[in-house]
Amino acid sequence: MEQSWTGLPVSAAFVPFLDRLVNRVAADESWIVPASPGEVVALPPTTAGVLAPAGLGPMTVPGDGRITVPMARGVYFLRGARADTVGALEVNHDFRESRLEPAGEAAIRAALGEDAMVLNARGLDRELFRGARRADLIGPLLVSALVLAVVELVLAAAGSRPGRKA
């Protein structure tokens, strides 16, 4: 911890470092409890309360040690009986929201209802592009643009002939 060896003692990371050192290494009582909003979780046995964000009072922990996780995301510190920090409750969105795998037909119907129409790739193409042949106007629009360009050229050339008297 010499200042010539590291800048840690004079940096903003020093206090969190000391907190981790004292709580995790020396006391060996620090816990991290990951949870999703609204989930019911069991807290460590040494937890007497949960410190809420500013403006809200501390939440008390019932005798069974289970609480309903707040809906607001963030880190809630767990307070021990002697008012020391014994861990943290990390509230994040459900981890399943980040999984990028296709859902099965049963999961889709369970989420959207039995009337949901589940299509494979071929059926999706058929539904998306069913009317594409009737709606293709590229050819007629290009021909119309060409005709208008020729008419404009003829009118512009007729109006600029030398020797024409008005």
Side-chain angles (χ1 to χ4, degrees), residues 29 62 108:
E29 292 184 17
I108 293 172

Side-chain angles (χ1 to χ4, degrees), residues 7-26:
L8 182 63
V10 292
S11 72
F14 187 62
V15 173
F17 169 74
L18 282 179
D19 180 50
R20 284 184 183 226
L21 184 66
V22 171
N23 281 330
R24 286 205 176 153
V25 177

